[in-house]
């Protein structure tokens, strides 16, 4: 079981064929008040399939390792996969509400499904790796790579905002600490999910028993209590219901990946944030530093 309602180590949020199964309908499992976002992660043996029945939710299928075929609205969509989440973007598939999906992998693989309860239905859309904006954000030891395949500028959707972030060994991302837990000028109210994967960084001769680890921090921005200081490894999930969050830290020797799923009750689908006033000045230091030369991660 997780140590807190907001931290789910690998295996603590599994259900049936799903290695991770967390969503608004699972809030009774230990995440009080969770209502707007969800994530599922599964592995498929060669030729194996998984079906998600029609629900009042929108979804985004993201290959983590290997290629997939997704049957949606009677049409098959091949998704070119990747060797790992550190090999650059993959094709992803969006589906609107009341759309059943069947995911198959001819040669085996792993995938994630980001989801959000929604009302307005948008058509199925394939976003290819070539169509995915790759952003290099920050600089110096705050350099990271963002794949913006599910953000408002790229994808038409009802509620959620989805992206993935790759952080080279020793760097900090989700930094400076920031929040999006109020509907006000300059900020939107969004729950957020972090699904993590880690690996020994390229260029190191890591032993077979190396423990690829990262760290995640969430802390209170108002009277609502939250205090997360978590070690994270491949398959772990941290939920951010509110509060300042960051940094997500890649330990020296280990690269860090996370998939972000955000959605909230606000009228506008927009990622608007406030920096922790004690640390927001850090952004001003980036102008005098170079982007980390290890970026971008590619295949």
């Amino acid at each position: 079981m997780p140590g807190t309602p907001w931290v789910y180590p690998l295996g603590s949020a599994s259900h049936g064929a799903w290695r991770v199964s967390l969503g608004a309908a699972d809030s009774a499992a230990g995440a009080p008040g969770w209502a707007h976002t969800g994530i599922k992660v599964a592995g498929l043996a060669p030729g194996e399939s998984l079906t998600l029945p029609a629900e009042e939710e929108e979804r985004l299928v993201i290959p983590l390792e290997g290629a997939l075929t997704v049957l949606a609205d009677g049409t098959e969509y091949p998704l070119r996969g990747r060797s790992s989440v550190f090999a650059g973007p993959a094709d992803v598939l969006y589906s609107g509400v009341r759309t059943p999906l069947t995911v198959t992998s001819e040669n085996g693989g792993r995938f994630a499904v980001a989801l959000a309860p929604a009302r307005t239905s948008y058509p199925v859309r394939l976003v290819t790796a070539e169509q995915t904006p790759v952003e290099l954000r920050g600089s110096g030891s705050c350099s990271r790579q963002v794949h913006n395949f599910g953000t408002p500028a790229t994808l038409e959707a009802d509620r959620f905002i989805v992206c993935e972030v790759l952080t080279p060994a020793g760097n900090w991302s989700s930094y400076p600490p920031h929040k999006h837990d109020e509907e006000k000028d300059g900020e939107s109210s969004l729950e957020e999910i972090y699904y993590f994967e880690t690996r020994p960084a390229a260029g190191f001769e890591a032993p077979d028993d190396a423990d690829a680890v990262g760290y995640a921090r969430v802390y209170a921005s108002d009277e609502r209590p939250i205090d997360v200081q978590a070690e994270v490894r491949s398959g772990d999930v941290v939920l951010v219901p509110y509060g300042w969050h960051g940094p997500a830290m890649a330990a020296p020797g280990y690269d860090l990946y996370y998939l972000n799923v955000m959605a909230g009750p606000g009228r506008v689908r927009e990622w608007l944030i406030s920096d922790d006033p004690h640390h927001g000045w850090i952004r001003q230091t980036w102008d005098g530093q170079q982007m980390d030369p290890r970026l971008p991660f590619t295949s």
Side-chain angles (χ1 to χ4, degrees):
M1 292 299 293
T4 79
W6 313 118
V7 180
Y8 290 81
L10 177 64
S12 64
S14 60
H15 180 74
W18 297 101
R19 299 176 183 178
V20 176
S21 183
L22 289 168
D26 303 310
S27 60
W34 198 257
H36 302 289
T37 57
I39 186 170
K40 293 180 178 291
V41 178
L44 295 174
E48 188 178 11
S49 297
L50 263 177
T51 295
L52 294 97
E55 300 283 0
E56 296 295 321
E57 63 188 26
E58 58 186 353
R59 296 163 173 157
L60 193 64
V61 179
I62 303 129
L64 302 174
E65 182 180 359
L68 307 172
T69 299
V70 183
L71 177 65
D73 267 351
T75 300
E76 287 191 342
Y77 296 87
L79 303 187
R80 292 168 300 164
R82 47 192 170 180
S83 57
S84 82
V85 294
F86 296 98
D91 299 344
V92 303
L93 188 76
Y94 171 84
S95 66
V97 297
R98 298 180 294 278
T99 304
L101 300 177
T102 298
V103 184
T104 305
S105 181
E106 180 179 355
N107 297 310
R110 298 184 300 112
F111 68 99
V113 182
L115 60 92
R119 294 182 179 179
T120 303
S121 188
Y122 288 85
V124 174
R125 182 182 166 197
L126 173 66
V127 180
T128 67
E130 293 80 9
Q131 293 169 328
T132 295
V134 176
E135 174 189 2
L136 300 185
R137 186 179 296 173
S139 67
S141 61
C142 292
S143 301
R144 59 271 205 188
Q145 176 175 333
V146 186
H147 299 161
N148 289 307
F149 47 71
T151 56
T154 304
L155 178 68
E156 189 177 33
D158 185 29
R159 303 308 307 167
F160 62 25
I161 299 170
V162 187
C163 65
E164 54 188 12
V165 181
L166 297 87
T167 308
N171 285 9
W172 287 20
S173 59
S174 288
Y175 195 75
H178 57 280
K179 73 181 184 79
H180 37 73
D181 59 15
E182 296 180 87
E183 285 293 325
K184 64 179 185 180
D185 287 346
E187 187 176 330
S188 48
S189 177
L190 300 166
E191 293 177 350
E192 185 164 11
I193 295 172
Y194 282 67
Y195 165 79
F196 291 96
E197 297 204 2
T198 55
R199 71 167 185 184
F204 290 88
E205 295 184 4
D208 292 341
D209 61 351
D211 182 18
V213 64
Y215 297 87
R217 178 78 171 115
V218 188
Y219 57 99
S221 60
D222 51 30
E223 73 283 354
R224 294 171 291 181
I226 190 167
D227 187 6
V228 172
Q229 300 182 73
E231 287 188 353
V232 293
R233 296 170 175 82
S234 289
D236 294 353
V237 176
V238 173
L239 306 182
V240 182
Y242 47 77
W244 307 112
H245 45 288
M249 294 170 277
Y254 303 112
D255 295 327
L256 181 69
Y257 162 96
Y258 52 88
L259 175 65
N260 277 149
V261 187
M262 293 174 276
R267 188 171 49 84
V268 179
R269 176 179 169 245
E270 194 168 11
W271 184 63
L272 301 174
I273 65 170
S274 298
D275 285 336
D276 183 330
H278 295 98
H279 305 297
W281 66 272
I282 296 294
R283 293 186 190 276
Q284 301 168 22
T285 69
W286 295 346
D287 291 341
Q289 301 179 59
Q290 298 297 313
M291 180 60 58
D292 191 311
R294 293 173 290 178
L295 296 176
F297 287 104
T298 68
S299 58

